[in-house]
Amino acid sequence: MSLTPRVYRTTLIAEPGDIDALGHVNNVVYLRWVQEVAGAHWFAAAPPEAQQALAWVVTRHEIDYQAPALLGDRITVRTWVEAWSGVTSDRHVEFHNAETGQLLAQARTVWCAIDPATGRPKRFDQALVSAFQTESGRDRGTIASES
């Protein structure tokens, strides 16, 4: 049996406060959305005991912008954790225009698990990794948000 990442999916709307002087969603907003959707995915998929035992900090963000999002655009966001290693995970996020399907931006973020009491890196176990994976061929195990 082969495992693939379980995808979390939600929809956002570009609000007036997200728009910059050039009339499109500001790149800092995409960064905020990356962090928000990562948190939502964590709370939707991680077992309660892992949620209490671990916190996450970012060690690296990479975002590639493909096309602008404009005021009022509905944006479909997909995220998954592609790789797990020791104390880090490699998360991917894609932003698509919900009406046209056009890729707007894609991000790769490296997260480090920490012990919330000490702030020191903490290894995660296979049970946690398994919560974010599914068997191959099962629609990548999409988890949809309530939005």
Side-chain angles (χ1 to χ4, degrees), residues 78-117:
R78 297 174 65 241
T79 187
W80 63 94
V81 180
E82 189 69 36
W84 301 81
S85 177
V87 298
T88 63
S89 67
D90 190 16
R91 175 177 291 280
H92 294 258
V93 183
E94 291 180 348
F95 299 90
H96 293 264
N97 181 296
E99 308 307 320
T100 67
Q102 181 179 25
L103 178 64
L104 303 172
Q106 53 192 1
R108 177 184 165 266
T109 304
V110 179
W111 293 81
C112 179
I114 62 169
D115 181 320

Side-chain angles (χ1 to χ4, degrees), residues 16-30:
D18 300 329
I19 306 303
D20 63 17
L22 298 175
H24 55 68
V25 172
N26 187 279
N27 53 350
V28 174
V29 173
Y30 280 100

Side-chain angles (χ1 to χ4, degrees), residues 2-123:
S2 175
L3 296 175
T4 60
R6 183 169 293 183
V7 175
Y8 178 82
R9 182 179 170 168
T10 192
T11 302
L12 305 170
I13 297 177
E15 303 288 344
D18 300 329
I19 306 303
D20 63 17
L22 298 175
H24 55 68
V25 172
N26 187 279
N27 53 350
V28 174
V29 173
Y30 280 100
L31 184 59
R32 185 184 83 225
W33 287 345
V34 165
Q35 293 196 173
E36 288 173 355
V37 75
H41 187 202
W42 169 249
F43 288 113
E49 57 277 4
Q51 292 179 25
Q52 293 200 329
L54 295 173
W56 294 89
V57 295
V58 171
T59 62
R60 180 179 182 86
H61 283 298
E62 296 174 14
I63 303 177
D64 296 314
Y65 303 97
Q66 307 296 319
L70 307 174
L71 179 63
D73 281 355
R74 288 189 35 198
I75 301 164
T76 301
V77 185
R78 297 174 65 241
T79 187
W80 63 94
V81 180
E82 189 69 36
W84 301 81
S85 177
V87 298
T88 63
S89 67
D90 190 16
R91 175 177 291 280
H92 294 258
V93 183
E94 291 180 348
F95 299 90
H96 293 264
N97 181 296
E99 308 307 320
T100 67
Q102 181 179 25
L103 178 64
L104 303 172
Q106 53 192 1
R108 177 184 165 266
T109 304
V110 179
W111 293 81
C112 179
I114 62 169
D115 181 320
T118 66
R120 297 185 49 85
K122 183 174 180 179
R123 290 187 174 275

